Amino acid sequence: MTLVLPLKPAETSPETLANHWPVLLRNRSSGPIQAPWWCDRNAGDEPLRLLQACPRYAPTNLICLPRTAERLGLGEIWIKDETQRLGIGSFKGLGGAYAVLKLAMKHVERRMGRTILPAELFEPRVRSMLTELTFSCASDGNHGRSVSAGARLIGARAVVYLHGGVSDERAAHISRLGAAIVRVAGDYHDSVEAAADAASQDGWIAVPDTVGPGEDDTACTLVVQGYAILIDEIVSATTEQSKPFTHVLVQAGVGGLAASVFGHGWARGLFGPDTHLWIVEPELSACLYESARAERPIRLPPGPATNMAMLECQSPSLLVWPIIDALATGFLTVTDEQASDAVRLLNAGISGDAPLRVGESGAAGLAGLVKAADDRRDQLGLDQSAKVLLFATEGPTDLSVWSGSR
């Protein structure tokens, strides 16, 4: 199903966000939520089946940060460490790679006239069919790495479109996986449009991680479905814990991870009825925050760059916006300085907490938590009874400018 919603220009520019209190609170939808199939209870089963065929697949760690919780006056803080995911160093490894494998299987099944098993993707006869495939996507860095890794695994080709703001270091991470790089003038959404146009013209398989008005969402749903594995791993890791999470903070660009966490988390019973589900975004690129304020998906005008580059997106993915709109109870924005402070806090560890080497985008959730605890602790229920879930979504991608080295 393709969701077609109006995408209207923002009525305020990113620079005006500083004039708003950086936490927008809302009531969760009171009616029943009709969850799409890509975040239902069993959404993670098929992605896990395919990704277990990858040599580097292993569950990532859910880490307790008791000293950080004590410092912030909270009961518990848990953080899902995605910095080691599939050798890619980001949760994105779950989405793009799975979509490539699933789409490759469908291609082979059409050719052979029967279903195949994941292991058959690596058999010589099947691999000869896959060498004729080219997968393409746009990326700020990590999605391109995931798509490229998936294509390389099965012997297919990958072409990744990068806008001018993507650093040479991030481009090099993708190139090392064998992908061809195409540079595009403009911002992230310009690269998304260029990738889609090229795929349509050349007969490639597009693997986008965002959907605009009227666009085919087939591949994007697979990308977001892959993120369900992350929630399944958290459910397994917390089986013996009786107290549910009271606050869940997920950093967001176009919103794919947040929608999967919120939707699949609800389907798996990970959250209680009063759990706060919050989106955290860069102050300079907060398309979900502004969409929530406008009560419709909007597109921000181009603005200044943020050090949370993996979250620098101008509009929500229309595939996932309905879930975020229905389930999110808060939207927070953080500054570049606050993200840098969170990087240094995680990198150093606090009085025995495990140090985590996390990029600025990966530390945004903690930055949002610190900001919320400092500004409106009582109003937001951030006290000794709070049990908070965060996500270290990625390691550092640009070491030359990484806050942890300064």
Side-chain angles (χ1 to χ4, degrees):
M1 177 182 68
T2 300
L3 295 169
V4 182
L5 299 176
L7 193 63
K8 300 180 180 179
E11 294 178 347
T12 55
S13 67
E15 290 85 346
T16 65
L17 287 173
N19 298 324
H20 304 298
W21 178 50
V23 180
L24 174 65
L25 300 180
R26 308 187 321 163
N27 292 322
R28 184 179 294 125
S29 174
S30 58
I33 303 300
Q34 184 63 46
W37 66 267
W38 45 263
C39 64
D40 67 19
R41 182 171 181 81
N42 300 314
D45 294 351
E46 179 69 1
L48 180 62
R49 189 172 74 96
L50 265 66
L51 290 178
Q52 282 177 328
C54 299
R56 304 192 71 169
Y57 173 75
T60 57
N61 294 324
L62 180 65
I63 299 170
C64 185
L65 300 176
R67 301 295 177 264
T68 306
E70 182 179 1
R71 172 171 170 171
L72 295 178
L74 305 175
E76 300 177 46
I77 296 177
W78 294 83
I79 189 165
K80 182 67 165 162
D81 179 15
E82 293 294 294
T83 64
Q84 305 302 312
R85 179 68 74 180
L86 286 167
I88 294 171
S90 164
F91 79 95
K92 291 279 188 179
L94 294 170
Y98 164 63
V100 166
L101 296 180
K102 184 66 175 179
L103 292 167
M105 285 185 69
K106 290 182 177 181
H107 173 79
V108 172
E109 288 171 348
R110 286 192 296 269
R111 290 279 301 272
M112 298 181 70
R114 65 173 179 85
T115 59
I116 67 170
L117 299 173
E120 293 183 74
L121 289 172
F122 309 103
E123 295 179 355
R125 180 188 175 193
V126 170
R127 285 181 71 86
S128 68
M129 299 180 194
L130 299 177
T131 57
E132 62 195 39
L133 298 182
T134 297
F135 294 89
S136 67
C137 70
S139 179
D140 276 322
N142 288 328
H143 179 61
R145 291 173 75 177
S146 183
V147 169
S148 301
R152 184 179 189 180
L153 184 66
I154 59 175
R157 181 171 178 256
V159 181
V160 179
Y161 287 73
L162 305 177
H163 63 87
V166 178
S167 69
D168 290 340
E169 185 175 347
R170 278 182 271 153
H173 290 317
I174 298 170
S175 295
R176 281 193 288 270
L177 292 167
I181 300 295
V182 178
R183 286 287 189 173
V184 176
D187 59 24
Y188 172 71
H189 285 280
D190 293 313
S191 64
V192 169
E193 291 172 1
D197 290 343
S200 176
Q201 178 177 335
D202 296 325
W204 299 343
I205 301 175
V207 189
D209 66 351
T210 186
V211 173
E215 296 175 352
D216 182 5
D217 64 9
T218 303
C220 190
T221 57
L222 297 175
V223 172
V224 180
Q225 182 192 7
Y227 304 153
I229 292 175
L230 190 151
I231 282 293
D232 291 341
E233 291 176 358
I234 295 174
V235 170
S236 295
T238 58
T239 300
E240 303 301 322
Q241 299 182 18
S242 58
K243 181 179 178 179
F245 293 105
T246 62
H247 299 74
V248 179
L249 290 85
V250 188
Q251 51 267 55
V254 297
L257 175 63
S260 179
V261 169
F262 294 172
H264 190 52
W266 269 106
R268 290 299 315 269
L270 184 64
F271 312 135
D274 299 322
T275 300
H276 299 268
L277 301 178
W278 292 344
I279 299 283
V280 181
E281 295 175 281
E283 183 180 79
L284 297 174
S285 184
C287 63
L288 297 175
Y289 177 102
E290 289 293 352
S291 293
R293 288 183 64 238
E295 298 184 344
R296 66 180 189 273
I298 56 89
R299 180 165 181 169
L300 297 174
T306 170
N307 64 2
M308 291 165 275
M310 302 298 107
L311 309 179
E312 193 172 323
C313 302
Q314 286 71 47
S315 60
S317 171
L318 298 187
L319 171 71
V320 304
W321 171 251
I323 290 293
I324 291 172
D325 188 41
L327 294 179
T329 58
F331 295 77
L332 294 74
T333 64
V334 294
T335 66
D336 282 16
E337 182 180 3
Q338 289 162 350
S340 295
D341 289 344
V343 164
R344 288 186 282 266
L345 190 154
L346 287 170
N347 188 51
I350 295 179
S351 303
D353 276 356
L356 292 173
R357 200 164 180 263
V358 178
E360 287 79 7
S361 298
L366 176 61
L369 177 63
V370 172
K371 178 67 176 177
D374 285 347
D375 283 0
R376 303 289 176 97
R377 173 182 302 276
D378 293 338
Q379 181 182 0
L380 302 177
L382 292 169
D383 54 28
Q384 290 288 343
S385 66
K387 180 179 178 180
V388 181
L389 175 61
L390 303 174
F391 298 84
T393 48
E394 61 161 24
T397 54
D398 291 295
L399 289 175
S400 61
V401 295
W402 181 50
S403 302
S405 61
R406 300 196 300 275

